[in-house]
Amino acid sequence: QVQLVQSGAEVKKPGASVKVSCKASGYTFTSYGLSWVRQAPGQGLEWMGWVSAYNGNTNFAQNLQGRITMTTDTSTSTAYMELRSLRSDDTAVYYCARGHGGTRFDYWGQGTLVTVSS
Amino acid sequence: EIVLTQSPGTLSLSPGERATLSCRASQSVSSSYLAWYGQKPGQAPRLLIYGASSRATGIPDRFSGSGSGTDFTLTISRLEPEDFAVYYCQQYGSSRGYTFGQGTKLEIK
């Protein structure tokens, strides 16, 4: 069965960086892209960007360009999202999600809480 | 960027009733690129409907989607206790990526 298992919660200070991992299993990793979606406390869903597990191509939300990196390691079927220059409004649960047909997200990780606080 | 506006913000209904949730786009969206998700507290979102009207794997047939152009609807024909959650619509905008609506909270009356 398809599973996406994310790394654990993080607490960071403003200005620091965070790197969240998403380990995939149950399918051919390189056949699907992965998106990252975040959700601030009590708020809705915000798409952050997408990475191709096949060739590493990326596409980021405009408001995060310059602060975000997404990579994959095909040897371990793991995707990574790094966000730099963290601010308090980056406090959120971060999800990885498998893209199906490029149009929808059919499997999601369990989420990783990132708290940015001084 | 296409903006998705969901209504109502909160919908209060009783089990057994019919729920109708709306998602309106600021410009026309291909039906192939419109999806719906449900999210319960403390859980990740779950794909319900894709291509505007196709049910995802394992989704009961009381869930249905319809619409085209700028107006889309998620209908739950007879509410079960486990259906009370927050629902989001989502569209794919090619190189511009994806956007979500702000959500509709379906609560027990």
Side-chain angles (χ1 to χ4, degrees):
Chain A
Q1 70 285 17
V2 174
Q3 281 194 303
L4 300 173
V5 179
Q6 299 183 221
S7 50
E10 303 262 13
V11 179
K12 297 291 183 181
K13 293 193 183 304
S17 298
V18 69
K19 191 170 186 177
V20 181
S21 68
C22 170
K23 183 171 176 60
S25 61
Y27 71 96
T28 302
F29 183 66
T30 52
S31 294
Y32 296 83
L34 282 159
S35 276
W36 290 85
V37 176
R38 68 179 177 179
Q39 187 170 37
Q43 302 301 308
L45 302 170
E46 179 191 9
W47 177 78
M48 302 176 66
W50 165 90
V51 60
S52 166
Y54 175 71
N55 58 16
N57 285 353
T58 54
N59 182 20
F60 301 132
Q62 215 164 10
N63 65 320
L64 293 173
Q65 291 206 10
R67 286 207 298 141
I68 192 168
T69 302
M70 292 182 185
T71 57
T72 60
D73 181 346
T74 57
S75 68
T76 60
S77 299
T78 302
Y80 298 91
M81 184 283 299
E82 181 179 33
L83 190 60
R84 299 178 293 278
S85 303
L86 289 168
R87 310 185 290 248
S88 58
D89 62 358
D90 290 318
T91 293
V93 175
Y94 289 74
Y95 295 101
C96 61
R98 191 180 81 164
H100 190 106
T103 61
R104 61 195 184 264
F105 309 123
D106 58 354
Y107 290 92
W108 294 66
Q110 83 276 18
T112 296
L113 175 61
V114 175
T115 303
V116 183
S117 174
S118 56
Chain B
E1 174 183 299
I2 296 177
V3 176
L4 300 178
T5 302
Q6 293 186 238
S7 62
T10 301
L11 185 58
S12 299
L13 294 171
S14 300
E17 291 192 292
R18 180 185 186 89
T20 303
L21 287 67
S22 173
C23 176
R24 178 162 289 178
S26 59
Q27 54 187 281
S28 186
V29 172
S30 167
S31 295
S32 298
Y33 297 160
L34 196 288
W36 290 91
Y37 302 82
Q39 186 181 34
K40 297 179 183 179
Q43 296 185 16
R46 180 186 184 189
L47 176 66
L48 302 172
I49 300 287
Y50 65 93
S53 61
S54 297
R55 272 187 301 278
T57 302
I59 301 303
D61 60 7
R62 63 179 181 273
F63 288 87
S64 63
S66 62
S68 63
T70 60
D71 289 297
F72 298 89
T73 300
L74 174 69
T75 301
I76 311 172
S77 59
R78 295 172 308 279
L79 285 167
E80 299 286 343
E82 61 267 29
D83 298 336
F84 291 92
V86 179
Y87 292 87
Y88 296 93
C89 57
Q90 167 252 312
Q91 70 88 31
Y92 167 63
S94 186
S95 61
R96 293 178 179 239
Y98 305 81
T99 54
F100 291 91
Q102 84 280 16
T104 290
K105 182 180 181 180
L106 178 57
E107 64 177 24
I108 299 177
K109 188 174 182 180

